[in-house]
Amino acid sequence: MLSCLNEATTMPYSLNDDIHYSALAGFKGIEIWVDKLKKFLEKYSKEDLKKLLDKANISAPCLCAFGGIVFPPKDIFEKRVKEMEKYLEVGNFIGSKYIVLCAEGFGGKSFEEAREKYVLRLRELSRILESYDIMIALEWFDELPPAIDIVKSIDNENIGFLIDTFHWYRGDGNLDNLRKIPSDKIFFIHICDCEDLPREKLEDKHRVYCGLGVIPLIDILKILDEKGYRGYLSVEIFREEYWRQSIEKITVEAYKTLIDVGLKAGVEIR
């Protein structure tokens, strides 16, 4: 598997700094935070970004994150897709393979109605993304079985899952549900640990570095390995305590703790 840093982990810092220090720490990939990309493009071009990535010898496999696609009226959907395409063009140019699409639950509808809407909208979005050679990694925030049903119903090779260890743990923490995901539908992984709190009280701010909390990351990595997953493990942490530290300290700790958990799981992470 491949090491990656999601830029939320270094939220106060710039895309330029994130690329430099992530590569210096040892990461093979950087998951680009779209708001940081937007700010970068106010001064620089996609060509400048590619030069930065190439110089650092680090990839940018995924753009994070987009949302508000499934349930809005068609005119709002089209407006958001048009806005998204500016970043898809950049992603295609720098070699990004995925975008993170945030799920929207059931949108106040029955599961059957919501599933129908997901199928229609994500198939439509996928057709647009084909022009950019980019696939959809759907990030689900609740229990996984309904999402597995939805993705199977969409039946599109360009639509799969982003599994976030925090959201999985907060959703139900059921390892068997991870095992139920078809191997070819696991596109990307957000990895972190979290504090020992009741699930209903957990918030993003309770995320911590890998191995410092209660999420069974070793078991998760073993399941991913058994399923043949060889993609990116992207460290995503929203923690102000970390954000107040130097970017060098954040990136080094994020990388070291990720590698340590991989060693304990017997899984090679580069």
Side-chain angles (χ1 to χ4, degrees):
M1 301 180 201
L2 298 171
S3 60
C4 186
L5 186 82
N6 181 296
E7 286 192 277
T9 308
T10 52
M11 191 66 84
Y13 297 96
S14 69
L15 176 52
N16 310 57
D17 287 339
D18 290 345
I19 291 170
H20 175 74
Y21 285 99
S22 295
L24 204 62
F27 283 102
K28 298 298 184 290
I30 183 166
E31 184 181 359
I32 292 180
W33 196 254
V34 172
D35 283 347
K36 291 193 184 189
L37 176 58
K38 181 178 182 179
K39 191 170 183 179
F40 177 90
L41 293 173
E42 291 173 0
K43 293 184 178 181
Y44 306 101
S45 67
K46 62 184 180 182
E47 289 81 9
D48 293 326
L49 178 55
K50 191 171 190 310
K51 286 177 183 177
L52 280 175
L53 293 165
D54 290 344
K55 182 179 179 180
N57 193 28
I58 193 169
S59 64
C62 188
L63 305 181
C64 182
F66 299 94
I69 292 296
V70 178
F71 295 119
K74 187 171 180 60
D75 61 329
I76 301 298
F77 166 77
E78 291 174 347
K79 180 180 178 181
R80 288 176 178 165
V81 169
K82 186 175 181 180
E83 175 71 14
M84 182 191 298
E85 287 192 272
K86 294 187 296 187
Y87 305 108
L88 296 176
E89 181 183 349
V90 176
N92 175 261
F93 187 77
I94 63 175
S96 301
K97 190 174 181 180
Y98 305 105
I99 63 161
V100 177
L101 183 69
C102 296
E104 299 164 45
F106 295 161
K109 304 177 185 298
S110 70
F111 171 68
E112 289 75 16
E113 291 173 322
R115 178 175 56 191
E116 182 179 356
K117 198 69 173 179
Y118 273 96
V119 169
L120 290 173
R121 279 285 164 85
L122 267 63
R123 281 180 179 171
E124 185 174 354
L125 182 60
S126 178
R127 285 193 292 271
I128 295 167
L129 265 63
E130 283 178 3
S131 302
Y132 301 94
D133 197 25
I134 292 176
M135 299 188 287
I136 299 168
L138 179 67
E139 183 172 18
W140 196 258
F141 300 98
D142 302 296
E143 296 181 6
L144 280 174
I148 295 172
D149 190 325
I150 286 170
V151 170
K152 285 182 176 178
S153 298
I154 295 171
D155 190 25
N156 185 308
E157 63 181 7
N158 294 323
I159 300 172
F161 284 106
L162 180 149
I163 300 300
D164 182 301
T165 60
F166 175 80
H167 293 310
W168 165 82
Y169 180 77
R170 189 174 60 173
D172 63 17
N174 188 330
L175 291 167
D176 285 336
N177 285 338
L178 286 178
R179 294 186 178 97
K180 291 175 184 176
I181 302 173
S183 299
D184 64 343
K185 291 300 181 183
I186 302 177
F187 283 3
F188 207 77
I189 305 295
H190 282 171
I191 188 167
C192 70
D193 221 322
C194 74
E195 297 177 37
D196 188 3
L197 294 171
R199 286 191 173 92
E200 65 274 12
K201 293 186 177 181
L202 285 171
E203 299 177 28
D204 275 325
K205 66 181 181 180
H206 297 125
R207 295 178 184 232
V208 295
Y209 291 127
C210 297
L212 304 187
V214 295
I215 298 177
L217 295 179
I218 291 173
D219 292 330
I220 292 171
L221 288 175
K222 287 181 177 178
I223 290 171
L224 292 173
D225 189 50
E226 290 167 4
K227 285 181 164 292
Y229 181 75
R230 298 296 180 265
Y232 288 88
L233 302 170
S234 187
V235 179
E236 184 188 57
I237 302 173
F238 301 83
R239 194 173 183 91
E240 291 187 10
E241 174 191 344
Y242 295 170
W243 290 344
R244 289 192 292 268
Q245 298 170 356
S246 71
I247 188 171
E248 184 175 15
K249 181 175 176 59
I250 297 169
T251 51
V252 167
E253 285 297 310
Y255 181 77
K256 178 182 179 297
T257 52
L258 174 63
I259 297 302
D260 285 349
V261 167
L263 289 171
K264 291 175 182 176
V267 172
E268 181 184 6
I269 302 175
R270 298 187 288 110

